[in-house]
Amino acid sequence: MNDKNTLQQILQFRYLGMFLLNGFETIISNTKYVVCFVASICLYFFIGTRLISSYSGPLAKMYMTVSCIALLLVGVLTLMFGIWRIGAPKGYIGIMQNMYRVGLVNAAGEAPVLVSRRKSTDDSKTEIWEYETYGIPFSAWLDSAEKLESALDIALTRVEPGKDGRTALLTVVPHPGPWPNLLLWNNNLLHPKNSVLLLGENRCEQVTLDLSSIPHILTAGRTGSGKSVLQKSLMLQALLHGMAVILVDYKFGVDYSREWHHHCQIIKDDDSFLAKLTELLKEMQRRYEILEKSGFPNIDKYNEAGNAPLRRVCLFVDEIAECLDKSNATDKKSKEVTAAISASISSLCRLGRAAGIHVFLSTQRGSADILSGQIRSNVFKILGEADENLSILTLGNADAAKKIPIEAHGRFIDERGNMFQGYYSDYGPEVFSVLSEGTL
């Protein structure tokens, strides 16, 4: 870090004046500050004048003149410094020094300037930090997010460009502490809005998914990354919200306890899967006819109007590659069934949102030869612990490989860049106790 540049940055007249003005406005708007400042000034000059007048030796007159000038100068500088410290954002100097340490600077070696720091109105734990960017592009903030979190001891939850194009707004959680190793699910956590599922939590807030706007999900990751943990959490929430849940699991549902078999329909082979997809496509068509006749654009508006409610239907596929990867298949029928399954899933992903039919896919691979472009372009992508190739293939970047530790079971990052810890439960009978058997 260049100390000269740091000092120049801190003492720029523009920001010095702005912080002085902020400090002055803060003082005059707070009676406690006014009383403290007036009392401090009076005490300072009272003690100073007593010390000056107590000198009666040679050159007393010159001593008094010089001392009065020094007393006044020191007093004014101290007063300005006090006003500046009140007006400057809390921890300003340390934050600015760390901005230089992480190397977030422009071509002239200047770091962005923190101009304000305030509590968020949405969450008491979060703060909004506003920076003058000094020509640093918005993408550079995103690229430096991990370094900023480490250097500033913050959890950076959001970076947004300011209204004037010259500022950046960072939503942060100061001193967030470590990521949880285990995040236990409780039915009381269920979101009050019927269409919203909880993906998990980051270090300051819940990360949610609204099926009204993001209707279909692809979850990828290595074996042991926690895909099944996330899928079971979403399945349970769907059931608790009164949705119909269908699970496609070619392992015959052995990873799912008896309660899941009571409350979900479990499909175990290609023919049954294709038959169910055909049934869902017909149901989707029926729902669109209902919406057209009633004049509503989607299932939410239709249900809100007090009509006989249409239930959301959630199709979970435990390992989509098991269904669609028939590279070794030699018979024509098998290939035709696979092609029909892929085409049906693609249709549901394109058209299912307004009808309330949702697709949740899980895979270890997610390669282009398994998932068609139609499916990939219509699903919201979430990735657990993965190597660089899978991260790039799924998210278009290597964030999952870089940011999710191998030992972080159940941690994910989504295509928006949000990292979160998924909820975990052993899914014993107690979590299903509020459900009636056979909700399908």
Side-chain angles (χ1 to χ4, degrees):
M1 182 185 67
N2 190 312
D3 292 334
K4 181 178 180 181
N5 285 343
T6 302
L7 185 60
Q8 290 174 345
Q9 189 72 65
I10 295 172
L11 297 179
Q12 285 185 65
F13 286 114
R14 175 183 172 187
Y15 298 106
L16 177 61
M18 181 180 68
F19 294 150
L20 283 171
L21 180 61
N22 289 346
F24 182 74
E25 291 175 348
T26 300
I27 290 170
I28 63 175
S29 64
N30 190 314
T31 305
K32 184 186 297 185
Y33 275 135
V34 173
V35 172
C36 289
F37 262 76
V38 171
S40 298
I41 292 170
C42 293
L43 181 63
Y44 172 79
F45 281 103
F46 174 76
I47 295 175
T49 52
R50 289 295 299 268
L51 291 174
I52 293 172
S53 60
S54 65
Y55 181 76
S56 58
L59 305 175
K61 187 174 182 180
M62 184 178 71
Y63 171 80
M64 183 173 293
T65 301
V66 172
S67 297
C68 286
I69 294 173
L71 180 67
L72 182 62
L73 183 61
V74 171
V76 169
L77 292 175
T78 302
L79 179 63
M80 290 182 64
F81 178 76
I83 296 173
W84 176 83
R85 285 304 302 265
I86 290 176
K90 181 182 177 182
Y92 172 79
I93 295 177
I95 290 172
M96 291 304 304
Q97 288 174 337
N98 282 315
M99 296 297 289
Y100 280 98
R101 288 191 178 103
V102 300
L104 187 59
V105 296
N106 60 19
E110 299 169 317
V113 174
L114 179 66
V115 295
S116 71
R117 176 179 177 177
R118 60 186 183 274
K119 287 285 186 183
S120 171
T121 56
D122 299 327
D123 188 339
S124 60
K125 294 184 293 185
T126 62
E127 296 182 358
I128 307 298
W129 293 7
E130 182 177 4
Y131 281 89
E132 183 86 24
T133 62
Y134 268 125
I136 293 174
F138 181 66
S139 59
W141 292 88
L142 301 176
D143 294 340
S144 302
E146 194 172 5
K147 292 181 180 178
L148 290 171
E149 286 187 328
S150 177
L152 301 177
D153 190 21
I154 59 172
L156 182 57
T157 63
R158 192 176 299 113
V159 182
E160 301 171 293
K163 293 181 180 179
D164 58 6
R166 293 167 43 207
T167 58
L169 300 177
L170 277 60
T171 303
V172 307
V173 180
H175 317 300
W179 279 92
N181 293 323
L182 194 65
L183 202 57
L184 294 177
W185 170 259
N186 184 307
N187 284 353
N188 294 327
L189 294 170
L190 189 70
H191 199 279
K193 186 177 179 181
N194 181 269
S195 62
V196 175
L197 305 179
L198 302 180
L199 292 173
E201 297 179 16
N202 57 30
R203 289 192 286 178
C204 66
E205 61 185 355
Q206 291 178 328
V207 179
T208 62
L209 176 76
D210 193 337
L211 296 178
S212 297
S213 55
I214 302 177
H216 313 296
I217 309 298
L218 170 66
T219 304
R222 286 174 172 166
T223 300
S225 61
K227 298 187 301 298
S228 295
V229 171
L230 180 59
Q231 179 163 283
K232 287 180 178 179
S233 172
L234 297 177
M235 288 172 62
L236 176 65
Q237 292 177 64
L239 289 171
L240 292 172
H241 277 306
M243 303 178 195
V245 174
I246 303 160
L247 170 65
V248 180
D249 182 10
Y250 284 15
K251 300 188 298 294
F252 293 86
V254 297
D255 293 333
Y256 295 82
S257 63
R258 182 187 311 167
E259 286 76 20
W260 292 107
H261 292 253
H262 288 327
H263 298 291
C264 308
Q265 180 179 353
I266 299 182
I267 295 172
K268 307 166 186 176
D269 59 73
D270 281 347
D271 292 336
S272 300
F273 188 16
L274 182 56
K276 176 55 67 175
L277 288 169
T278 303
E279 180 185 322
L280 289 175
L281 289 172
K282 290 179 180 178
E283 173 63 14
M284 183 174 68
Q285 182 64 34
R286 184 185 76 87
R287 292 185 176 201
Y288 271 113
E289 291 172 359
I290 292 174
L291 294 175
E292 181 185 17
K293 290 178 181 178
S294 59
F296 293 100
N298 55 55
I299 186 176
D300 295 301
K301 298 296 182 183
Y302 179 85
N303 289 341
E304 288 170 6
N307 298 291
L310 294 172
R311 295 175 66 197
R312 293 184 185 275
V313 180
C314 297
L315 174 67
F316 289 84
V317 185
D318 190 78
E319 176 49 75
I320 189 62
E322 290 294 323
C323 310
L324 300 183
D325 184 11
K326 302 297 182 183
S327 55
N328 296 323
T330 56
D331 61 291
K332 181 179 179 182
K333 181 182 177 182
S334 179
K335 292 181 179 179
E336 288 176 347
V337 169
T338 299
I341 289 174
S342 180
S344 299
I345 293 174
S346 179
S347 295
L348 289 176
C349 288
R350 289 198 316 272
L351 304 172
R353 181 182 68 84
I357 299 178
H358 311 283
V359 177
F360 297 77
L361 306 176
S362 174
T363 185
Q364 297 179 36
R365 295 158 59 185
S367 54
D369 60 327
I370 302 297
L371 295 176
S372 69
Q374 285 280 358
I375 295 175
R376 294 178 63 83
S377 62
N378 286 287
V379 293
F380 183 75
K381 301 170 188 67
I382 298 173
L383 184 60
E385 194 274 315
D387 60 26
E388 191 169 298
N389 288 336
L390 182 56
S391 183
I392 293 172
L393 180 65
T394 306
L395 302 176
N397 56 56
D399 283 357
K402 294 178 180 177
K403 296 181 179 180
I404 301 179
I406 294 176
E407 67 276 7
H409 183 72
R411 194 169 306 166
F412 300 88
I413 188 167
D414 65 30
E415 64 180 47
R416 298 170 297 192
N418 293 325
M419 190 156 68
F420 62 90
Q421 184 75 26
Y423 290 106
Y424 172 81
S425 173
D426 58 5
Y427 297 104
E430 65 281 355
V431 298
F432 294 95
S433 61
V434 297
L435 297 173
S436 58
E437 189 169 318
T439 53
L440 282 177

